[in-house]
Amino acid sequence: MTNPLNALNAETLNAWNANAEVWDKRMGDDGNDFFNILCWPALASFLDAQPDSKILDIACGNGLTTRRLAELGCTVTAFDFSANLIEYAKQRTAFHASLITYHILDATNEEQLLSLGEAKFDSALSNMALFDMAEIEPLFRTLPKLLKPGGTFVFSITHPCFNNASSMHVVEEMDDGEIKTVYSIKTSRYMTPYSMRGLALRNQPKPQVYFERPLQAYLNLAFQNGFVLDGFEERAFPPETPQTTPLGWGGKFSEIPAVIVARLRLKT
Ligand SMILES: C[S@@+](CC[C@H](N)C(=O)[O-])C[C@H]1O[C@@H](n2cnc3c(N)ncnc32)[C@H](O)[C@@H]1O
């Protein structure tokens, strides 16, 4: 019997190749507000990368985090399964090329992951990509082999409770002696993993597939594979952050975290 996830994985690859140009233009060299305000400060603090650290950048896109890590002096092995995105990553990497190696590789394929080398990395990083992967079990099974003993896996994901593909952004008006505008998130799906098409960027040519999982799916997989959780942040935009669209993520949703950043560490 064919695994339905294979077809979804192929569709995902196809979408990321088709959207690579738009993604590269939007993220550029410096990234967007999600990256700079929500993700990078917590990722950088959890990674605590030292010059000469060896880091694996999983699903690196156009190499945004890869270059940030190389700027800190780390040696970075980065991969993505989109050949088009890896091409953009290489084009943007002239400056730190000596510290970075890029590979085209599928994170759902254990054999391909193992080809990166065993007990080689001090840390692995995945910025906003696990929910784009049709399957994460192969990655969680393989990471303990790729990491050195005691190594860490730091990842960011959209908050599974408040920022999943079923989330609706809601604005309402109330009167409690004064008229107030209230922004909230309404969610209808959480417990059962599901996939749904969506747009990471409003002008992308092809919708991509989101693979939504409850938080316990990530954490239990990590615990089963020998990790403990030793860093965790829920990240919301500060109130002063401008809205890029009237109901998009921004300062109006400052009480609702759009992103989770976590650090897992291999038990020694
Ligand atoms: C939202 S982008 C994030 C890219 C990058 N980490 C960043 O921070 O800009 C998600 C990435 O996951 C990659 N991806 C999805 N499934 C993958 C898989 N099975 N193997 C490798 N990369 C995958 C996509 O090609 C895309 O580059």
Side-chain angles (χ1 to χ4, degrees):
M1 214 174 72
T2 53
N3 180 350
L5 289 175
N6 292 344
L8 286 172
N9 197 38
E11 180 182 340
T12 302
L13 173 58
N14 198 280
W16 280 102
N17 273 328
N19 297 330
E21 185 181 353
V22 169
W23 181 263
D24 177 66
K25 276 212 178 81
R26 180 72 182 88
M27 300 311 281
D29 288 324
D30 299 323
N32 58 6
D33 277 0
F34 253 77
F35 178 67
N36 289 303
I37 298 175
L38 299 186
C39 300
W40 183 248
L43 291 171
S45 134
F46 284 166
L47 276 166
D48 191 24
Q50 305 298 320
D52 299 330
S53 294
K54 292 195 172 33
I55 303 198
L56 177 64
D57 190 355
I58 298 163
C60 62
N62 81 340
L64 179 63
T65 44
T66 317
R67 291 186 298 278
R68 288 269 171 115
L69 291 167
E71 273 160 27
L72 298 173
C74 306
T75 303
V76 194
T77 300
F79 75 83
D80 200 282
F81 71 170
S82 161
N84 293 359
L85 277 168
I86 289 294
E87 191 46 46
Y88 285 115
K90 285 182 177 166
Q91 284 170 21
R92 290 188 181 275
T93 297
F95 196 55
H96 296 291
S98 64
L99 290 174
I100 296 176
T101 319
Y102 287 111
H103 299 269
I104 299 165
L105 194 151
D106 186 342
T108 68
N109 184 314
E110 213 163 321
E111 207 177 306
Q112 289 184 27
L113 289 170
L114 282 172
S115 73
L116 291 166
E118 299 202 22
K120 191 168 153 187
F121 301 102
D122 298 295
S123 297
L125 160 72
S126 175
N127 181 50
M128 301 292 266
L130 294 178
F131 51 79
D132 285 312
M133 292 178 190
E135 264 187 293
I136 55 170
E137 289 77 2
L139 180 66
F140 276 85
R141 267 200 308 272
T142 313
L143 274 173
K145 297 179 189 155
L146 302 178
L147 289 168
K148 295 178 185 171
T152 57
F153 175 34
V154 175
F155 66 87
S156 61
I157 50 173
T158 49
H159 199 304
C161 308
F162 306 113
N163 188 10
N164 72 52
S166 80
S167 305
M168 308 238 187
H169 293 222
V170 179
V171 60
E172 292 162 309
E173 200 173 80
M174 68 175 285
D175 172 4
D176 67 352
E178 60 178 301
I179 304 297
K180 285 184 183 153
T181 306
V182 181
Y183 294 84
S184 61
I185 296 291
K186 191 171 94 179
T187 198
S188 55
R189 298 179 79 172
Y190 177 72
M191 286 303 283
T192 309
Y194 68 97
S195 61
M196 191 158 141
R197 284 164 192 82
L199 302 174
L201 304 175
R202 289 179 182 220
N203 61 339
Q204 69 187 58
K206 259 195 188 173
Q208 68 204 67
V209 188
Y210 287 114
F211 299 91
E212 299 294 354
R213 307 168 177 101
L215 193 49
Q216 64 179 351
Y218 288 101
L219 294 183
N220 286 331
L221 198 52
F223 301 151
Q224 284 153 17
N225 284 285
F227 287 101
V228 292
L229 178 71
D230 79 344
F232 190 79
E233 276 196 38
E234 296 177 293
R235 307 277 302 168
F237 283 109
E240 64 277 11
T241 313
Q243 297 288 136
T244 48
T245 58
L247 278 184
W249 287 105
K252 300 256 191 293
F253 292 88
S254 62
E255 278 304 315
I256 304 177
V259 163
I260 276 177
V261 183
R263 180 173 59 203
L264 301 167
R265 189 182 293 278
L266 282 176
K267 276 185 282 191
T268 44

